[in-house]
Amino acid sequence: MTATLIHLIRHGEVHNPDQILYGRLSRFGLTARGRRQASATGRFLKERPVQALYTSPLLRARQTAAEIARAHGTLRPRISSLINEALTPFEGFPAAQVRNRRGDFYTHGLPGPYEKPAEILERARSFIRRCLKRHEGVETAAVTHGDVVVFTSLWALGAELTPANKNRLKKIGYGAGYPAHCSITSLIFERGRLDDRPRIE
């Protein structure tokens, strides 16, 4: 039976000389290495029957998608805000300070329209439902961001959506416990069971 696959791709390496958490800040594009990573991902996907490519609206994701499309040869990126980066109050903070929080951008008690893990998953699942409706039985690729991939993966595994679990994903193949740049996380929905949690690779 034909499955529906959605490949979630984290964007390539970002030019960030000041080492800050860039979040949704503008003008953070790819390094030369990031472009090479994206091109390699495009060549890999060329060997698969991918029929659609989506991207977050942020520059680093759009550049990644453009390199993937160029290397693939037939895909045209489409923008979806549903797979945008998490909205956090820590944009612009030094990366070292953020690392001390062990990736927890969500437990801060600050007022404002900042996202929680469940809200990130909610919009990611809205994107997934659209893909399942538009591209049932085929493969789709989507360039997004690390925490979107992580919380979607935790949901697929039936794990708790907590910041602490962000770094506990080695069991599904993330060598460092977090998605690498241009890594591919595949959600596999078996035909006839599209409402179930997917298998994950």
Side-chain angles (χ1 to χ4, degrees):
M1 298 180 71
T2 303
T4 302
L5 275 70
I6 302 173
H7 303 293
L8 300 180
I9 303 164
R10 188 184 174 202
H11 59 79
E13 181 183 80
V14 177
H15 181 64
N16 183 17
D18 294 328
Q19 293 298 299
I20 65 169
L21 177 70
Y22 33 76
R24 293 188 181 183
L25 296 175
S26 62
R27 297 189 298 278
F28 280 87
L30 298 183
T31 61
R33 181 184 181 191
R35 291 182 182 277
R36 291 193 298 271
Q37 292 168 335
S39 182
T41 301
R43 292 192 298 274
F44 173 81
L45 291 175
K46 189 173 184 178
E47 303 302 316
R48 302 197 59 92
V50 176
Q51 296 191 13
L53 174 62
Y54 293 87
T55 178
S56 153
L58 295 181
L59 177 61
R60 59 190 182 273
R62 288 187 284 110
Q63 288 178 337
T64 300
E67 293 292 337
I68 289 172
R70 187 175 296 113
H72 188 279
T74 62
L75 296 173
R76 179 182 175 189
R78 291 181 256 183
I79 293 175
S80 174
S81 61
L82 293 172
I83 51 174
N84 202 354
E85 177 66 277
L87 183 60
T88 170
F90 296 100
E91 289 177 356
F93 277 49
Q97 184 175 342
V98 173
R99 279 194 296 272
N100 290 337
R101 299 182 63 88
R102 298 182 59 80
D104 183 0
F105 314 137
Y106 307 100
T107 308
H108 46 71
L110 300 175
Y114 305 118
E115 289 185 305
K116 299 294 186 183
E119 294 169 319
I120 295 170
L121 176 62
E122 181 179 0
R123 57 181 170 83
R125 289 192 66 190
S126 293
F127 172 78
I128 289 168
R129 284 191 292 270
R130 292 185 185 185
C131 285
L132 294 175
K133 184 176 181 179
R134 295 174 182 171
H135 309 292
E136 183 178 354
V138 300
E139 299 188 21
T140 303
V143 180
T144 183
H145 305 273
D147 277 15
V148 176
V149 176
V150 163
F151 291 124
T152 304
S153 298
L154 290 173
W155 162 72
L157 292 168
E160 190 177 3
L161 299 180
T162 64
N165 278 341
K166 282 176 57 175
N167 300 304
R168 297 173 180 169
L169 289 170
K170 288 187 179 181
K171 63 182 178 180
I172 59 170
Y174 297 127
Y178 193 81
H181 291 116
C182 282
S183 60
I184 302 173
T185 301
S186 300
L187 306 177
I188 305 166
F189 294 85
E190 302 297 341
R191 188 171 179 84
R193 302 186 63 185
L194 300 184
D195 291 332
D196 293 346
R197 282 186 170 90
R199 290 191 293 111
I200 186 169
E201 293 181 356

